[in-house]
Amino acid sequence: MEELITRIQIDGQVLDEGVLKVDSFLTHQVDPQLMAKIGETFATAFKEQGITKVVTIEASGIAPAIFAAQSLRVPMIFARKSKSLTMNEELLSASVHSFTKQVTSQVSISRKFLTSQDKVLIIDDFLANGQAAKGLVELCQQAGSQVCGIGIVIEKSFQEGRQLLEELNLSVLSLARVATLSEGDVTFLKEESQGE
Ligand code: G4P
């Protein structure tokens, strides 16, 4: 998605150890106009699949996911990383290991929101090692829901996330695929799967 790539080139900052800071439009301050276009792009790509729910994980997945859900006219569910006071029903739960942060956390969704009738589109802001997306796939499997695809805003293609998800036979659409991150420079892979 050309507009997203241009925005990353203008506003993204490369931090040490292959981390891309995009807090001015995606992970902290959010640009709703760009998010709406991102949501529309995901919706267009997956509109033939009969999606009934969009699933993401808090916090930064929520913005692109809500716009994708709005475009598809279906509900959006975000997995919680800590149990809320009101989550008193039966839960779907999976553990997610972050290699970046070296912590394992439990992520949960109330069972009542996902059923075996659901066809799910998973959305997340970043795909790095793929552990968050894999955890969301596990939650859908526990509910008996079908995962129809995974939409990612920024994929770090030099990490193993895409490979992990493709090995699980999942279709991954990433709107920007970062090939390399070095001081002051971001390069991208150009492929059909960028959603253009
Ligand atoms: P994985 O889910 O693909 O395995 O990723 P990993 O454990 O490596 O990443 C942990 C967290 O860091 C995730 O967010 C992920 O989205 C984010 N992340 C990974 N690489 C980058 C990057 O280059 N730039 C930025 N800005 N974030 C990155 P999280 O902990 O779930 O945080 P949040 O969604 O609550 O903000």
Side-chain angles (χ1 to χ4, degrees), residues 13 15-23 26-28 56-62 81 96-103 105 107 124-134 152 154 156 158-162 164-165 181:
Q13 280 174 268
L15 304 185
D16 286 349
E17 299 176 35
V19 174
L20 179 64
K21 185 169 173 172
V22 284
D23 65 348
L26 179 60
T27 61
H28 196 14
T56 189
I57 183 166
E58 63 176 343
S60 311
I62 293 176
K81 289 176 180 165
V96 171
H97 180 71
S98 167
F99 291 106
T100 314
K101 297 179 178 169
Q102 283 302 316
V103 291
S105 51
V107 300
D124 209 356
D125 57 334
F126 270 92
L127 176 62
N129 294 301
Q131 297 300 308
K134 184 167 158 260
I152 298 293
I154 303 177
K156 298 203 291 183
F158 53 90
Q159 292 186 242
E160 64 207 24
R162 173 178 280 267
L164 177 91
L165 299 176
L181 285 177

Side-chain angles (χ1 to χ4, degrees), residues 4 29 39 53 72 125 154 162 164 178:
L4 172 65
Q29 174 172 266
K53 301 273 165 70
L72 287 164
D125 57 334
I154 303 177
R162 173 178 280 267
L164 177 91
V178 173

